[in-house]
Amino acid sequence: MLVFTSSQHPSEVQHQVAQALGRPDHAVTVEVRRMGGAFGGKETQAAQWAVIAALVSHHTGRPAKIRLDRDDDMTSTGKRHDFRIRYDVGFDGAGQILGIDIELASRCGMSADLSGPINDRAMFHSDNAYYLPTFASCRIAAARTPCPTQLFADSAARRE
């Protein structure tokens, strides 16, 4: 099976198509034309459309093509994750940060997609640009909570 896709992750498309067709990964070839952008929306969400086209092609024995218009694309694929953030920071008399307690909760949509890594990255970067010279003695406690909803799955960073 030969699949043309617009994806930043062709090996995932290959794996998903092969799984849907009940074939080994090496039985599916995925080609990606040169594309621009790097905002993450094409990292994982192209697989669903490639799988649908591959299934149609497999069952009809004819080539199949799916090309969403911009409105359908933006309605059916994820956007940025909404976050609710609670934090508490402790300082000494000189204004030096002694401790940070951060709680991140994000709206992830109906399926996982990239929600885990996005929540992890938000947690790992929660100290932002602060230089903490007393890092060894500074306590940073961060917790992330992905919040599933019945909305479309959110993605890395699609713009609305």
Side-chain angles (χ1 to χ4, degrees):
M1 170 76 62
L2 174 60
V3 176
F4 293 91
T5 186
S6 178
S7 174
Q8 293 172 317
H9 199 342
S11 60
E12 178 176 333
V13 171
Q14 177 190 35
H15 180 70
Q16 295 294 328
V17 168
Q19 193 173 29
L21 296 176
R23 298 181 181 176
D25 286 3
H26 71 270
V28 176
T29 301
V30 174
E31 290 191 18
V32 179
R33 292 185 345 188
R34 183 182 185 97
M35 63 180 182
F39 295 102
K42 293 188 181 296
E43 188 171 350
T44 62
Q45 296 196 358
Q48 63 184 331
W49 308 111
V51 167
I52 292 168
L55 287 169
V56 168
S57 179
H58 175 73
H59 288 292
T60 64
R62 302 187 62 186
K65 179 178 186 175
I66 296 177
R67 180 179 288 170
L68 302 177
D69 67 25
R70 193 64 176 147
D71 291 336
D72 290 336
D73 180 39
M74 295 305 289
T75 300
S76 61
T77 57
K79 313 297 183 277
R80 294 180 181 203
H81 288 69
D82 300 307
F83 273 86
R84 179 160 296 202
I85 301 171
R86 187 202 61 77
Y87 63 94
D88 193 23
V89 181
F91 302 90
D92 65 13
Q96 190 107 10
I97 297 174
L98 298 176
I100 305 170
D101 187 16
I102 301 169
E103 188 177 312
L104 306 166
S106 73
R107 184 179 57 85
C108 298
M110 64 180 183
S111 62
D113 195 34
L114 292 173
S115 296
I118 288 165
N119 280 269
D120 286 346
R121 177 167 285 214
M123 181 181 64
F124 299 147
H125 291 256
S126 60
D127 61 347
N128 200 347
Y130 291 100
Y131 173 64
L132 303 172
T134 57
F135 188 75
S137 62
C138 178
R139 177 184 177 276
I140 299 177
R144 65 162 180 85
T145 305
C147 305
T149 68
Q150 293 183 358
L151 302 173
F152 51 79
D154 283 308
S155 179
R158 290 291 299 269
R159 297 188 189 274
E160 291 187 48

